[in-house]
Amino acid sequence: MDTVVKIDKLVKKYKELTAVNEFSLEIKKGEIFGLLGPNGSGKSTTIGCILGLLKYDSGNIEVFGKPMKSDSYDSKRKIGVIFQNVAVFDELTVYDNIDYFCGLYIKDKETRKKYVEDAIKFSGLEDFTTFLPKKLSGGLLRRLNIACGIAHKPELIILDEPTVAVDPQSRNSILEGIVRLNREGATIIYTSHYMEEVEQICTRIAIMDTGKNLAIGTTEELKNMIKTGETITVEIKNASDGLIEEFGKLPHVIKTEYADDHLKIHYSKGERNVLHLVDFLKKKDLKFGKIYSELPTLNDVFLEMTGKELRDKA
Amino acid sequence: MFHLYKYRLKSFLKNREMIIWSMIFPFLLGTFFYAAFHSITEKSEKMDPVKLAVVCDEKGQFAEFIDSMKELKFLDPVFVKDEKEGKKLLGDEEVTGLVICGGSEMKPELDLKVRENGIESTILTSIFDTYLRNYQVITDVAKKNPLLITKTVEELYKDEEFTKNEPLGAKNADPFVTYMFALLSMTCMFSANFGHENTKQIQADQSGVGMRRSISPTSKMAAVFTDLMAALTVEMVIFAALYFYLGKVLGVVMSEEYGKVFLSGFLANLLGTSLGYFIGVILKLPAKTKEAIISAVVLFMNFMSGLMIQNIKYIIEKKAPVINRINPAALITDSFESLGAIDDPHKYVVCTIGVAVWAAVLMILSIIILRRERYDHV
Ligand SMILES: Nc1ncnc2c1ncn2[C@@H]1O[C@H](COP(=O)(O)OP(=O)(O)O)[C@@H](O)[C@H]1O
Ligand SMILES: [Mg+2]
């Protein structure tokens, strides 16, 4: 498989702050590559370096096998970017904005017209072509931002948190759209701090924190990297400390948490944990309510690797 | 290319705030000046000649000039023998001003002292400003081609004839006309705002649009060129509108050599825009701060070229004329003035070249900075 983007030991500092620290990565053609990390972990900075917008302190970046320069027009032509912040002309309508940005890539009038119409259809903006950006809702504005980035049918599409502050409906249509673009042949780099999204669409994921690449792999691979297996929650009223300690001694149990009559038991990898647990409950003749098991999420992966929650406490 | 130009133009035209401010400000000021000076003009018709103490060689050219001003009932001169005597008259409020003619016959120097800044002192300033300017025309020509002198003097004389019939609306540098040219110059200089706007939309660290354009395969040069042409188109339309408003509605005597007017206007706007580019790319400050700096710089330059107090330019011309040869706003004002109010082709050429040089230098420096490859942050 061809390598589309190759980052080798990238270091980028903003004065004293090291935003990206010895970050390495290789993205192959056809992937939907997720860059997952909390706010401030260095995702946008990495994107800026890939695109050749930012100066960086050391490291090496190749895009389509070549370093990015301001006159690497052949590479630039093949890239489409959806920036974190909406980047459009406030004074131009939806159609004009898409047509302008597409025009930076596509000189032929006929082709451009078709491409612009495709982009409008793709982002579901048919009814808003004559609107000015300020008249669009948050979700529609994001879709315009996307349309401006992909109208020229790029081979590599980079999306930097495209779903921030977007209603669930728009979010879904955006995610579906990304998968569709990928199926049509585009390689995708997708950054987000929402693990659900990344889990949902990405074929491979890098977990990033404080500028470092903590882990890289498919969702499955990442989950297998950590100790945590499943988490089983049982509803038990008034459990004593002694009893909880006994739960903690069951096989594969890493730790227990008890609050609001709910006992959370974290397991390492292991088979038939629920069954063993139910046996234990019966043996002890304990009354219990609901019991359910959750598989580890990327949040657990992140938690275990950094000791922090990935979710922003909004 | 045309595609990019078209949309950039469209985005400028739809930027209502920008257009309105670029239009309203000069039009309002023009009308305001007009109203203010109209009342002055009416007054001055009835007004007594301005009383003035004069210290000069009574047989010299300057004395002749003073006499002709007396005939025109602009001045009521009192010839005194030295500065001390003149100052006494000024102190006793016997006269409004005191003028001392020094220097040589070839290069006269005028020292004007006025009692207070008011209409009368403005009139005095403009009279002596005119004298010095016309004097330079004569001596300039004299140096190059002595035979032309007679013709030039004749031309000047013709002007004077004109002045006699129509003292203040004439093709001559009266304060109103000078203000109007300064206003025209200010409008061109304020094109800096368009230049600055363009730098916001092209630099990746200034805006999202700048980021998008930086990563596109369209070269920086093409982007700068289309942006610049779009800005100049809007500026020239505003310029033309103001030019005709001043000329046809407010009755300022404007040149009708439209080719030259267009050239001057184009270069002046290019200079203003380049100034905006330069400030936009060289300063690493928030956009609002840069806008404030642009306003301050433009107003200061125009202040120095006589936009608010006409005496300023006169004083500078006398004390440090080099400033007037360098100050972009003064060059623009002079290029328009030498085209319209006083027909002075030599000065026109010199000033126009000055404007073009400024525009080119600022633009080239801006482009060099703009072409840098990467940014510290975006
Ligand atoms: N222009 C800047 N100047 C200084 N620090 C910055 C700048 N941009 C980002 N940073 C810092 O760099 C780190 C990484 O930021 P960023 O790449 O935007 O993270 P993310 O996109 O993952 O939220 C953060 O700590 C942020 O505060
Ligand atoms: Mg970011």
Side-chain angles (χ1 to χ4, degrees):
Chain A
M1 262 202 285
D2 311 340
T3 299
V4 177
V5 176
K6 188 171 179 206
I7 304 174
D8 195 29
K9 298 214 177 87
L10 175 68
V11 179
K12 161 72 186 169
K13 292 180 183 148
Y14 294 111
K15 304 225 171 73
E16 263 87 86
L17 184 118
T18 306
V20 179
N21 196 352
E22 302 258 325
F23 187 89
S24 299
L25 194 66
E26 216 176 307
I27 296 166
K28 307 275 185 206
K29 193 169 159 53
E31 287 193 291
I32 301 184
F33 192 91
L35 202 52
L36 178 67
N39 282 325
S41 55
K43 304 182 295 294
S44 300
T45 304
T46 307
I47 300 296
C49 293
I50 295 176
L51 294 171
L53 287 173
L54 286 172
K55 284 184 192 142
Y56 47 86
D57 297 87
S58 64
N60 209 6
I61 302 177
E62 281 184 2
V63 183
F64 296 112
K66 279 181 241 146
M68 259 312 237
K69 298 217 196 80
S70 64
D71 61 351
S72 307
Y73 298 140
D74 284 336
S75 297
K76 284 183 166 189
R77 213 179 301 281
K78 293 193 267 186
I79 304 175
V81 185
I82 287 93
F83 289 105
Q84 185 169 0
N85 298 315
V86 175
V88 295
F89 280 107
D90 297 333
E91 305 87 14
L92 296 183
T93 62
V94 165
Y95 186 93
D96 289 353
N97 260 302
I98 302 174
D99 196 22
Y100 179 85
F101 290 113
C102 189
L104 293 172
Y105 296 81
I106 308 290
K107 303 291 170 205
D108 180 62
K109 230 174 159 179
E110 290 304 309
T111 318
R112 190 171 62 234
K113 190 157 181 279
K114 192 181 159 299
Y115 278 20
V116 170
E117 272 157 20
D118 286 352
I120 288 169
K121 222 177 285 159
F122 173 83
S123 45
L125 288 166
E126 292 98 330
D127 299 335
F128 308 97
T129 51
T130 58
F131 281 47
L132 286 175
K134 65 168 179 284
K135 295 266 190 273
L136 298 177
S137 70
L140 288 172
L141 197 58
R142 287 268 153 195
R143 288 199 236 165
L144 169 62
N145 196 36
I146 294 175
C148 290
I150 55 125
H152 58 286
K153 301 198 191 289
E155 286 173 35
L156 169 64
I157 302 174
I158 303 179
L159 301 102
D160 195 2
E161 311 223 22
T163 57
V164 170
V166 163
D167 56 286
Q169 197 193 335
S170 282
R171 174 183 293 209
N172 277 334
S173 87
I174 289 171
L175 293 178
E176 280 164 25
I178 293 167
V179 173
R180 218 175 331 140
L181 286 169
N182 177 249
R183 269 197 224 114
E184 286 163 15
T187 306
I188 312 273
I189 302 178
Y190 185 90
T191 88
S192 180
H193 64 275
Y194 298 118
M195 52 164 189
E196 298 89 349
E197 290 182 355
V198 172
E199 231 182 307
Q200 191 181 330
I201 64 167
C202 293
T203 52
R204 224 153 54 93
I205 299 160
I207 297 183
M208 192 166 187
D209 188 46
T210 59
K212 291 202 197 78
N213 187 350
L214 298 182
I216 194 163
T218 63
T219 313
E220 289 310 306
E221 285 166 354
L222 288 173
K223 287 177 183 173
N224 283 332
M225 282 179 204
I226 56 168
K227 288 209 301 287
T228 311
E230 64 189 320
T231 302
I232 300 175
T233 309
V234 200
E235 208 180 336
I236 306 178
K237 286 213 159 61
N238 308 319
S240 68
D241 287 353
L243 180 65
I244 291 167
E245 219 169 283
E246 277 188 60
F247 278 107
K249 285 182 185 133
L250 290 170
H252 305 304
V253 172
I254 304 170
K255 95 181 170 186
T256 55
E257 289 168 79
Y258 186 63
D260 302 330
D261 296 334
H262 282 80
L263 179 66
K264 255 191 178 176
I265 310 167
H266 299 271
Y267 283 85
S268 61
K269 310 279 165 348
E271 306 274 289
R272 305 168 138 199
N273 289 328
V274 179
L275 240 92
H276 289 303
L277 181 63
V278 173
D279 281 350
F280 178 74
L281 289 164
K282 281 192 180 147
K283 206 166 69 193
K284 286 260 157 185
D285 201 17
L286 287 166
K287 273 202 176 138
F288 59 92
K290 269 186 277 174
I291 177 163
Y292 55 91
S293 159
E294 290 164 293
L295 287 170
T297 60
L298 289 175
N299 188 45
D300 296 312
V301 177
F302 191 78
L303 183 67
E304 196 176 311
M305 287 179 171
T306 65
K308 302 188 287 202
E309 294 273 335
L310 177 59
R311 301 163 189 278
D312 48 355
K313 304 266 189 271
Chain B
M1 287 279 254
F2 181 73
H3 175 75
L4 304 179
Y5 164 80
K6 182 184 78 178
Y7 279 123
R8 192 69 190 106
L9 181 60
K10 213 165 168 181
S11 72
F12 269 133
L13 293 176
K14 295 249 183 82
N15 191 334
R16 253 187 238 138
E17 198 188 347
M18 203 156 178
I19 297 293
I20 285 173
W21 277 109
S22 316
M23 297 279 293
I24 295 275
F25 198 42
F27 275 79
L28 269 185
L29 276 182
T31 313
F32 172 76
F33 283 159
Y34 176 75
F37 277 98
H38 213 65
S39 56
I40 295 169
T41 315
E42 267 158 22
K43 252 190 266 158
S44 75
E45 275 160 12
K46 290 166 232 140
M47 207 168 62
D48 296 327
V50 182
K51 281 214 169 78
L52 175 77
V54 185
V55 183
C56 72
D57 171 7
E58 284 191 38
K59 287 186 196 71
Q61 210 184 14
F62 186 66
E64 250 173 63
F65 173 72
I66 294 286
D67 277 338
S68 65
M69 286 292 119
K70 185 180 172 187
E71 264 172 49
L72 289 169
K73 297 208 167 52
F74 277 162
L75 299 177
D76 180 6
V78 188
F79 288 94
V80 292
K81 64 175 192 304
D82 59 17
E83 186 173 346
K84 208 173 132 209
E85 200 180 324
K87 276 198 173 148
K88 190 175 173 297
L89 287 175
L90 199 61
D92 296 346
E93 303 197 1
E94 292 281 320
V95 292
T96 306
L98 163 68
V99 68
I100 302 154
C101 179
S104 64
E105 199 56 18
M106 276 317 279
K107 202 173 185 306
E109 280 164 18
L110 295 183
D111 186 8
L112 176 68
K113 290 187 171 58
V114 290
R115 213 170 54 214
E116 62 202 15
N117 272 328
I119 298 161
E120 292 186 332
S121 64
T122 311
I123 292 171
L124 284 180
T125 311
S126 81
I127 287 173
F128 293 118
D129 201 13
T130 313
Y131 174 76
L132 279 181
R133 209 171 355 216
N134 288 347
Y135 193 88
Q136 264 161 14
V137 177
I138 300 174
T139 45
D140 279 356
V141 176
K143 263 181 245 153
K144 283 177 212 129
N145 190 348
L147 284 178
L148 268 179
I149 287 193
T150 26
K151 197 162 172 280
T152 314
V153 173
E154 244 172 46
E155 289 284 339
L156 283 174
Y157 188 69
K158 254 196 273 166
D159 256 11
E160 223 163 84
E161 283 291 303
F162 200 36
T163 313
K164 261 181 201 158
N165 301 333
E166 212 186 325
L168 276 163
K171 202 177 190 203
N172 210 322
D174 76 56
F176 174 57
V177 171
T178 305
Y179 270 105
M180 287 308 174
F181 283 112
L183 180 68
L184 205 55
S185 153
M186 184 201 74
T187 310
C188 297
M189 290 293 285
F190 264 118
S191 290
N193 283 324
F194 286 91
H196 175 231
E197 178 66 21
N198 274 344
T199 65
K200 274 201 283 182
Q201 305 289 23
I202 199 168
Q203 294 183 101
D205 58 354
Q206 299 293 312
S207 67
V209 169
M211 281 164 85
R212 269 203 202 290
R213 301 214 295 175
S214 297
I215 60 159
S216 81
T218 298
S219 75
K220 273 261 164 72
M221 287 305 287
V224 169
F225 181 72
T226 49
D227 282 2
L228 186 61
M229 285 303 128
L232 279 167
T233 308
V234 179
E235 291 158 14
M236 286 307 284
V237 169
I238 293 175
F239 172 79
L242 185 65
Y243 195 84
F244 285 110
Y245 181 73
L246 297 184
K248 303 286 183 232
V249 180
L250 300 189
V252 183
V253 179
M254 300 292 229
S255 167
E256 296 195 349
E257 288 177 81
Y258 291 122
K260 281 190 191 165
V261 171
F262 179 85
L263 179 70
S264 292
F266 185 84
L267 289 173
N269 278 305
L270 184 63
L271 167 53
T273 315
S274 306
L275 177 70
Y277 262 92
F278 188 67
I279 291 175
V281 298
I282 199 122
L283 298 177
K284 294 279 157 258
L285 292 167
K288 285 275 168 234
T289 315
K290 285 190 215 170
E291 276 162 28
I293 290 173
I294 285 172
S295 295
V297 169
V298 168
L299 285 175
F300 178 71
M301 285 176 178
N302 277 287
F303 170 76
M304 299 281 280
S305 77
L307 181 65
M308 291 109 186
I309 307 165
Q310 210 198 344
N311 300 26
I312 293 280
K313 202 171 153 208
Y314 171 75
I315 294 165
I316 294 173
E317 191 61 57
K318 205 164 59 62
K319 293 263 159 67
V322 66
I323 294 178
N324 281 346
R325 302 290 91 77
I326 291 173
N327 178 3
L331 288 172
I332 295 175
T333 310
D334 286 349
S335 82
F336 286 132
E337 217 169 17
S338 54
L339 197 56
I342 40 157
D343 205 354
D344 184 344
H346 173 70
K347 188 167 184 183
Y348 173 74
V349 170
V350 171
C351 293
T352 307
I353 290 174
V355 173
V357 167
W358 261 117
V361 167
L362 290 174
M363 200 64 222
I364 289 166
L365 287 177
S366 305
I367 288 174
I368 290 171
I369 299 169
L370 269 176
R371 279 172 59 111
R372 75 173 162 224
E373 299 237 320
R374 288 162 187 268
Y375 298 83
D376 291 323
H377 55 82
V378 288

